[in-house]
Each structure stands twice: as C-alpha cells, then as structure tokens.
Amino acid sequence: MGNFFGHVYPGLFLFLHGLYQAVVISKAIISSDSLLYPSSPPRNKGRCARLRKISYGGLLKMVAGCFLTVYEVICIEGGLILMNRELPPRFMYPKEWQHLTMFILLTLNGCVDFVSKNVLPQRCVGLEKGTLVLIIYELLLLMVSHVKDSEGVELHVHSLLILVVFLLLLVFTAELWAPNMCHLQLMETFLILMMGSWLMQAGFILYRPVSGYPWQDDDISDIMFVTTFFCWHVMIDASCLLGIYGFSSFWHRCYAPSLKLTGPKEAPYYASPPGPLYKLLQEVEQSEKEDQVLLFSKSSPETESIVAGTSSTLPSSCGLLSHEHGTLLGEGNGLEG
C-alpha cells in the first residue's frame, strides 16, 4: 500500500461507500423511516424478490477487503515474508503487514454484516456495532504506530488521517447506545467521506503531486498547505452531503406522490388463500353460533309464558284504572251539584 494506488483504491472504496450511505440516510430522514430497518415497497414474489432482500453492503466489504489483500501481496517482490534468515532474525515489511491487517479487518467486518443481515433469523445490531468499534480501535492503534518513522509532510498527512479515525471511533462508540439516532449516522457518513477523500488526496501529495515536484519536508509553506487542503476537503464533503440530501428531498417531492398512488395496485400480489388457522377460526365461530341458537330455543317456552302472563294482567289493570277514574269523576260532579 506504500504507493499511489495503495492509497487511492482504499480511499475510493470508502468515498463511494460514504456516498451510498448518504443516499440511504437522506431517504430515511425525509420519509421518516427507520435507519436500521428501512421499509421496502411490496413486490412480486419469486427469485428476484429474494435477491432484492439481500443486503449487499457486507458482501461488498468482503470483496473489497479480499481485493486489497491480494493487491498488497502481489505488490511486494519476492513475496510477503514475516522474518528474514539472518542471525539474529529481523521482521520484514512492517508497514505492509500493517496494511494487510487493516484489509483483513475490513473483510471480517463484511462477514459479520453479511451474516447478521442475511443469515441470522433476526438482525443483531449490537453484534455489528460492537465488531465495528473493535475494528476501528485496532485501526487507530495501527495508524498511530504506522507513522513512527515518518516526518515532515508525510507525518502531517497521516496525523490528519488519524484525527478523522479518532473522531469516527467516538461516533461508533456512541452508536453502541443509540444506533438509530440520525445525527450520529450523519456524522458517521461525513467522517467516512472525509476518510476516503483524504486518503486519495494523500496518494497525490506523497506520490504524484500535481506540480510534478515532490513536497518539501523542510518547507513550512508545504506543511501549512496540507492543513489548508484538509479544510477544503471538509467543506467539499460537507457540501456533497448537503447536495445529496437536497437532491433526495427534491426526488421525494416529485416522485413520492406517484409511488403512493401506484402502491395499492401491487397489493393483490400478496393475496393468498385462507390457511388452516383461518378455517379453524371459522369453524369455532360457527359452533358458537349454533350453541347460541340451541340455548335460545330451549328458553323460548319460558319466554312465551312470561309474555302471555304480562298480556293477561294488562286488561285487568286497565279496568281497575278506568273504575277508579269513573269514581273520581262521580265525586267531582257531586261536589259541583
């Protein structure tokens, strides 16, 4: 990795991963959706539907990690050996072994993501975040020891990269307790964009400067412009993140109403014949209705007798009321006479 492409390839992968994550987070924020369990529109069943449900983020990490590992090995003439045959033996290629360890960590992270999202019956977010925090901790330790023999421009470039990794470690650690917080996800995406773009810039600064002349370690203006370029990357990556959010918001306003109108048309694809549980519930309801009918038929003679007794008492009570009313009228006439 100690060459131009060794810095550009990992930086390009991280930058593209940050762009994809920015699109996903912008869509989730605009539509008020969950960041960990985003909803998907209903689709037809079949092999294509199963392929759409697969999360390819972990698979891409595994592919990128394996590719970078092979690239690191083949770039060393004579093979990547651990120790020489001299007496006393000495370790060989310390920086290359550190690069190889970083790429193996990326591959392991992809394996954990793929297993958690596609193999396990239920996604384990704690496992994903915990593994990611452990990997970033190891990456930070490797980066700190990686610059022990560096100086000048190279030391300053890697120090700024270490700063980004440290801030990313803090964000990942906070996500262990709040994995679904959009603010932390935005900060993570921005730092991943920064890490990727600055790695690519480091390749140009250290190995292929634009002017065609190498940067001078003893020139203070070169050191100062390294920091200036880093600040420009901060502004450019922040503008890129803001632009993705604005474009996603515009797309959601223009095309979301049409998607909502066409959504119910796909609903019949989920219609299925009633299963055994539904039939069992229907049989239970039917038996309950029959029991209620039997109970009502048994209690009907008693109900009829009560109704008949009530109707027979009504005329006598009416006659009693009319007799009392006539008596009262007669008494009233006598008083008037």
Side-chain angles (χ1 to χ4, degrees):
M1 190 178 172
N3 53 27
F4 174 73
F5 293 105
H7 285 76
V8 171
Y9 287 157
L12 183 62
F13 168 76
L14 289 173
F15 189 76
L16 293 178
H17 176 66
L19 291 178
Y20 170 75
Q21 192 167 344
V23 174
V24 173
I25 293 176
S26 299
K27 180 182 176 182
I29 293 175
I30 293 170
S31 59
S32 299
D33 200 0
S34 175
L35 296 173
L36 298 177
Y37 303 97
S39 60
S40 58
R43 301 180 183 272
N44 298 343
K45 294 182 177 180
R47 184 177 299 178
C48 295
R50 295 178 181 177
L51 293 176
R52 291 191 190 99
K53 293 180 180 179
I54 296 177
S55 179
Y56 293 98
L59 186 61
L60 291 177
K61 289 181 182 179
M62 287 190 291
V63 173
C66 293
F67 170 76
L68 293 173
T69 302
V70 173
Y71 179 78
E72 183 68 31
V73 173
I74 63 177
C75 285
I76 300 176
E77 297 180 359
L80 186 63
I81 59 177
L82 183 61
M83 301 181 71
N84 58 14
R85 298 181 179 179
E86 299 177 358
L87 294 176
R90 298 292 181 182
F91 288 105
M92 300 293 293
Y93 307 109
K95 289 191 174 183
E96 285 74 11
W97 278 105
Q98 287 186 340
H99 299 158
L100 191 66
T101 305
M102 296 176 188
F103 301 148
I104 292 174
L105 291 175
L106 177 62
T107 307
L108 293 176
N109 183 25
C111 293
V112 172
D113 287 349
F114 186 82
V115 171
S116 175
K117 296 177 181 178
N118 302 308
V119 178
L120 297 180
Q122 185 177 3
R123 181 182 177 183
C124 186
V125 180
L127 177 63
E128 298 175 22
K129 297 297 182 181
T131 305
L132 192 57
V133 169
L134 181 61
I135 288 173
I136 298 299
Y137 267 110
E138 295 184 8
L139 177 62
L140 183 61
L141 292 176
L142 292 172
M143 290 295 299
V144 170
S145 64
H146 195 69
V147 296
K148 291 296 183 181
D149 58 345
S150 302
E151 58 181 3
V153 175
E154 183 180 0
L155 177 61
H156 198 57
V157 168
H158 284 88
S159 298
L160 294 173
L161 183 62
I162 291 173
L163 175 63
V164 177
V165 175
F166 176 72
L167 295 176
L168 191 61
L169 175 61
L170 295 180
V171 173
F172 283 141
T173 306
E175 286 182 359
L176 287 174
W177 288 272
N180 204 26
M181 184 177 291
C182 61
H183 300 85
L184 293 177
Q185 294 284 343
L186 287 173
M187 293 172 63
E188 173 192 342
T189 304
F190 172 71
L191 291 174
I192 290 175
L193 288 173
M194 274 298 306
M195 190 175 176
S197 63
W198 188 244
L199 262 177
M200 291 188 287
Q201 182 66 57
F204 283 97
I205 291 175
L206 299 177
Y207 302 100
R208 290 189 182 181
V210 179
S211 63
Y213 296 93
W215 292 55
Q216 301 298 321
D217 295 334
D218 55 351
D219 191 353
I220 189 63
S221 62
D222 288 356
I223 303 296
M224 294 175 66
F225 263 97
V226 169
T227 308
T228 303
F229 287 164
F230 182 81
C231 295
W232 289 357
H233 276 266
V234 172
M235 294 185 291
I236 293 172
D237 292 334
S239 301
C240 184
L241 188 62
L242 184 61
I244 290 175
Y245 178 81
F247 179 79
S248 301
S249 179
F250 174 77
W251 184 89
H252 181 77
R253 290 180 180 179
C254 293
Y255 296 98
S258 60
L259 291 176
K260 289 179 181 178
L261 291 176
T262 57
K265 294 182 180 179
E266 298 181 353
Y269 289 105
Y270 279 91
S272 60
L277 181 59
Y278 181 74
K279 293 181 179 179
L280 181 60
L281 290 175
Q282 282 186 337
E283 293 177 358
V284 171
E285 291 178 358
Q286 185 66 25
S287 61
E288 290 179 353
K289 290 180 180 179
E290 292 177 356
D291 294 340
Q292 291 177 359
V293 171
L294 291 175
L295 290 174
F296 182 76
S297 62
K298 290 180 180 179
S299 61
S300 58
E302 299 177 359
T303 307
E304 290 176 358
S305 61
I306 293 172
V307 172
T310 306
S311 60
S312 61
T313 55
L314 283 176
S316 59
S317 60
C318 291
L320 180 61
L321 288 173
S322 61
H323 176 70
E324 292 178 354
H325 181 65
T327 306
L328 291 173
L329 287 176
E331 293 178 354
N333 292 331
L335 288 174
E336 289 178 359

